[in-house]
Amino acid sequence: MKIAQTFSEQVKDELSRYEYDGTAMKAVLSSFLTNNLSMSITKDKEVWEVRTQLNSTIRLIDQFFCQLYDIKRKISYTDVQKINNRRIYKLTLEGNFEQINSDLQLNEIYPKQILGNSINVRAYLAGAFLSGGSINSVEKSNYHLEIRSSKLQYLRLIQKLLQPFNISITLLKRKNNYVLYIKKAANVSDFLKIIGANSAMMQLEEVIISRDYYNNVQKLNNLDIANLRKSSVAGQTQVMMINRIRKSKLFKEQPDKFKFYCSLKLQNPEASLTEMVHIFQKKYQINMTRTGINHYVLKIKKIFNSNLKTIM
């Protein structure tokens, strides 16, 4: 049974299909190995090993070693893990690692030669996501992206490389590891663009736009409902006031047009100011404005308040 890809895996698959030139390959490798390399001695030989859950990622790293260095390589994988239904893919390397160490500046806190231009900086950041990155499903509203590492200096370098892009980043410790945390949707989208995951970035942007549109529609609907409720309450209040003041002396002294409005309001208690204007114009061919209607509303309140003691 084929397991559906997570959004993180989609991003890493896209990065693994990206065409990198020679120096960018070294930038990806330098970042990936700094964060995801274990070393051991087997039969007096130094052995390097990198692991990942994605076949496409291990193939990419293997391809880079094949193109750049004369070294013995072997890919293997475990059985499917019960905890997540994923395999662990492993690349084992044997050979002379002195050249690779020097070439990729793996022992440097800031590998200046590797990070010599903006393209390589972006490739180095792509290597960081390939080695320890994750991003939650685009269907969830709480967008966040993480890059994990056991090496604090490495994540501080990633944080420094992202500073010119004005991305808000949090660096925190989680158990035995450290995590770079990017939360805002716009920042997550910017990061995907920086590392070259343009298809994933467009997918995320489409979801963000759709969700924002839906939320705005909901807000407008809620506002309309609130306005309707407010209009209904105001209408019922006017009806109550009119019923209370119709027999008062002050009401009887008012112009016929005002009395006619009160009569129409009793017949249309839910009507707004605009709707009352239309009723006057279309049904009775009487020109009225919202200001004129509002003047009557204020007059009703004034008469009601002035006669409150006598009519209650």
Side-chain angles (χ1 to χ4, degrees), residues 262-285:
C262 292
S263 176
L264 287 180
K265 187 61 181 176
L266 292 177
Q267 298 172 36
N268 304 275
E270 304 293 330
S272 65
L273 294 180
T274 301
E275 289 169 338
M276 289 301 294
V277 168
H278 290 325
I279 291 171
F280 268 98
Q281 290 177 342
K282 291 186 177 181
K283 194 170 182 179
Y284 299 99
Q285 291 75 51

Side-chain angles (χ1 to χ4, degrees), residues 151-163:
K151 301 178 176 68
L152 179 59
Q153 290 296 335
Y154 172 72
L155 289 187
R156 283 179 173 166
L157 172 58
I158 300 300
Q159 189 176 28
K160 183 176 181 179
L161 295 178
L162 285 171
Q163 283 178 352

Side-chain angles (χ1 to χ4, degrees), residues 94-106:
E94 294 182 22
N96 181 4
F97 297 117
E98 290 184 9
Q99 178 194 356
I100 300 174
N101 256 316
S102 174
D103 204 26
L104 300 182
Q105 295 187 282
L106 296 179

Side-chain angles (χ1 to χ4, degrees), residues 81-311:
Q81 308 292 301
K82 292 182 179 180
I83 189 170
N84 58 8
N85 291 316
R86 299 298 196 270
R87 298 182 188 276
I88 300 296
Y89 294 91
K90 180 171 65 175
L91 175 62
T92 304
L93 306 163
E94 294 182 22
N96 181 4
F97 297 117
E98 290 184 9
Q99 178 194 356
I100 300 174
N101 256 316
S102 174
D103 204 26
L104 300 182
Q105 295 187 282
L106 296 179
N107 296 322
E108 300 292 330
I109 295 177
Y110 189 93
K112 293 182 180 179
Q113 295 178 2
I114 292 294
L115 301 172
N117 57 60
S118 61
I119 294 176
N120 286 5
V121 168
R122 291 169 185 266
Y124 196 89
L125 293 171
F129 190 83
L130 285 169
S131 66
S134 65
I135 181 172
N136 66 325
S137 170
V138 292
E139 301 304 323
K140 295 183 179 180
S141 58
N142 56 331
Y143 307 102
H144 71 269
L145 182 148
E146 296 181 0
I147 298 176
R148 298 176 303 280
S149 179
S150 61
K151 301 178 176 68
L152 179 59
Q153 290 296 335
Y154 172 72
L155 289 187
R156 283 179 173 166
L157 172 58
I158 300 300
Q159 189 176 28
K160 183 176 181 179
L161 295 178
L162 285 171
Q163 283 178 352
F165 299 101
N166 296 318
I167 292 179
S168 179
I169 306 169
T170 301
L171 177 58
L172 50 86
K173 186 173 183 180
R174 185 181 294 167
K175 295 184 179 179
N176 296 324
N177 289 312
Y178 299 91
V179 178
L180 273 183
Y181 191 85
I182 301 174
K183 187 173 183 181
K184 292 183 179 179
N187 287 335
V188 173
S189 179
D190 286 344
F191 180 86
L192 293 177
K193 183 178 180 181
I194 290 166
I195 64 176
N198 293 318
S199 294
M201 183 269 291
M202 290 299 296
Q203 183 180 348
L204 177 60
E205 286 289 342
E206 287 177 4
V207 173
I208 292 172
I209 292 171
S210 297
R211 181 171 284 120
D212 287 346
Y213 174 78
Y214 174 79
N215 289 338
N216 287 335
V217 169
Q218 286 297 102
K219 287 178 182 178
L220 289 174
N221 287 339
N222 292 339
L223 182 60
D224 288 342
I225 291 171
N227 287 336
L228 285 172
R229 288 175 178 170
K230 185 177 179 181
S231 178
S232 177
V233 170
Q236 294 298 331
T237 301
Q238 276 192 65
V239 168
M240 179 273 294
M241 289 181 177
I242 293 170
N243 284 327
R244 294 288 180 87
I245 67 175
R246 278 199 301 175
K247 295 181 180 181
S248 69
K249 180 180 178 181
L250 192 54
F251 179 84
K252 293 177 181 179
E253 294 173 352
Q254 299 304 314
D256 291 340
K257 203 171 184 180
F258 170 75
K259 296 175 183 177
F260 186 56
Y261 166 77
C262 292
S263 176
L264 287 180
K265 187 61 181 176
L266 292 177
Q267 298 172 36
N268 304 275
E270 304 293 330
S272 65
L273 294 180
T274 301
E275 289 169 338
M276 289 301 294
V277 168
H278 290 325
I279 291 171
F280 268 98
Q281 290 177 342
K282 291 186 177 181
K283 194 170 182 179
Y284 299 99
Q285 291 75 51
I286 299 174
N287 289 327
M288 288 289 293
T289 63
R290 282 173 51 91
T291 302
I293 297 293
N294 192 54
H295 174 71
Y296 288 162
V297 172
L298 295 176
K299 181 172 282 192
I300 290 170
K301 292 180 181 179
K302 183 177 180 180
I303 296 173
F304 177 81
N305 290 331
S306 64
N307 291 272
L308 190 59
K309 293 182 179 181
T310 60
I311 61 179

